[in-house]
Amino acid sequence: MIKALGKKAPKIAKSSFISQAAHILGDVVIGERCAAFPGAVVRADCGPIRIGADVRIEDNVGLHGD
């Protein structure tokens, strides 16, 4: 799931893979050639999250911008 929170919507490079079972929410930027696998949660409701190029967010990892 890729979802905006308020006026902040995720920005994901076209070359990145986001599993349908991952959750990307809010003020998130994901760079080139990244991947978010099933169960990954990247939630930027309290602060921004910036992920550079070539990063893998493995199964069931949670990231929270605070």
Side-chain angles (χ1 to χ4, degrees):
M1 166 181 36
I2 300 170
K3 183 177 177 182
L5 291 175
K7 295 180 181 179
K8 303 286 185 171
K11 296 178 182 139
I12 301 168
K14 291 183 182 190
S15 62
S16 289
F17 165 76
I18 307 298
S19 166
Q20 291 182 7
H23 297 268
I24 313 297
L25 307 160
D27 190 8
V28 176
V29 176
I30 297 178
E32 298 291 334
R33 300 172 306 280
C34 292
F37 293 100
V41 177
V42 182
R43 191 178 91 206
D45 51 350
C46 296
I49 295 177
R50 303 293 181 257
I51 298 169
D54 301 308
V55 174
R56 294 168 57 98
I57 305 164
E58 293 292 341
D59 304 67
N60 301 313
V61 169
L63 303 174
H64 183 228
D66 196 15

